[in-house]
Each structure stands twice: as C-alpha cells, then as structure tokens.
Amino acid sequence: MSRVSPIQTNFTAGELSPRLEGRVDLAKYANGCRALENMLVHPHGGASRRSGTRFVAETKSSGAVRLIPFEFSTVQAYMLEFGAGYIRFFMNEGRIESPPGTPYEIVSPYGADDLFELQYAQSADVMYLVHPDHAPRKLSRTGHASWALDVVAFKDGPYLEENGTGTTITPSATT
C-alpha cells in the first residue's frame, strides 16, 4: 500500500500537544505539527529557519558569565557581560575598547554565584541592579566608554514635619 502525505500549507497552530495527535476533527490539527525546532512561524502561514548567533569575543573568564541587554535608544544598544567581579561592554557586534586593544571594563561586587540571582531594571541611561546579598547599585552610562557602578543613595522621606506639641483629646460631651 502507498502512504498518503497531505500537503501542509501553514503552521499557524505551532507545536501541538501529544494529546492532540489523531484529533483530525479539530481545525488546529491541520495547521500544527509535532515538533517545530529552530523555526519562526509567520502570521500568514509559513515558517522559516531561525537565524543563528554571531561570535564576537571570548569571555574574560572561563567561569559563569551572564549577558544583560542595555538599550539606551533605538540606535544605541549595548550588551553587558557580567562576570565574577567585572562588567564588560559590547556594541555593534564588537567589544568596546579603551584604549584601543584593551577591553573596557569596570569592577563589580558580584561573584560568580551572584550572577544569576541578579535582577535589573533600566530607565534611559541608568540601570538599577539588585541582589539579596548586596546593596542596590546604579549602573550609569555617561558616554560610550564611560560607565559607573555606584551604591544607590536612597532619600529618607518625604515626610511631614514631626508634631512637637502635646496631643490632647477633649471630649465633646460627657454622659
């Protein structure tokens, strides 16, 4: 007997659960597949291969390293390499060097065990970094090769001035 293979024209349902195998009564069955690895599904139906990555440079250390994006604007985006005790900076498919030939890096208090517990939030050219075992830090960008990592100095307040007079309660009626 010959095997029948129907033409599949789109993959808009993506990967289907094993529980849906054989459920030809569902519309998603005709638009899905069992495995769709390293592919991007287009909204209009087709699929194409996912693009790869590009090798830019070796990391400073052979230990744990974490990459964190820093998007200053639509035309200036950086990739930060956090390693044990340092931060290196990458932009435009290359490493930032200052002076030329020397990777630009700054010192950080985070060890190899701290990197994956590090949380961050960015606002314009400032990124706030928090970790349970370290004081909150502020990573500031003032130039292409000018970055600073400082402890955040929180302001205590604002509060109203303290009431220095004695407080009394006067009953309005006595019964």
Side-chain angles (χ1 to χ4, degrees), residues 16-128:
L16 299 179
S17 164
R19 293 181 178 193
L20 292 180
E21 289 182 13
R23 290 295 311 266
V24 295
D25 58 324
L26 298 175
K28 285 190 174 204
Y29 182 81
N31 298 336
C33 57
R34 180 180 292 164
L36 194 63
E37 295 177 357
N38 291 324
M39 302 289 283
L40 296 174
V41 177
H42 302 295
H44 47 76
S48 60
R49 288 180 51 175
R50 180 181 56 87
S51 61
T53 57
R54 178 185 307 262
F55 176 78
V56 175
E58 294 279 343
T59 60
K60 178 179 178 179
S61 66
S62 60
V65 174
R66 183 171 177 193
L67 298 177
I68 296 178
F70 186 97
E71 296 180 20
F72 175 65
S73 68
T74 56
V75 294
Q76 291 183 351
Y78 299 87
M79 185 58 68
L80 311 180
E81 174 192 330
F82 280 75
Y86 73 93
I87 305 172
R88 282 189 172 177
F89 304 88
F90 295 83
M91 181 182 178
N92 295 338
E93 300 176 1
R95 183 174 53 208
I96 296 177
E97 298 178 346
S98 179
T102 305
Y104 178 73
E105 68 180 57
I106 61 173
V107 176
S108 82
Y110 308 112
D113 295 336
D114 300 333
L115 297 178
F116 295 100
E117 292 180 5
L118 195 61
Q119 294 189 18
Y120 59 92
Q122 183 184 345
S123 175
D125 59 350
V126 175
M127 178 179 280
Y128 293 93

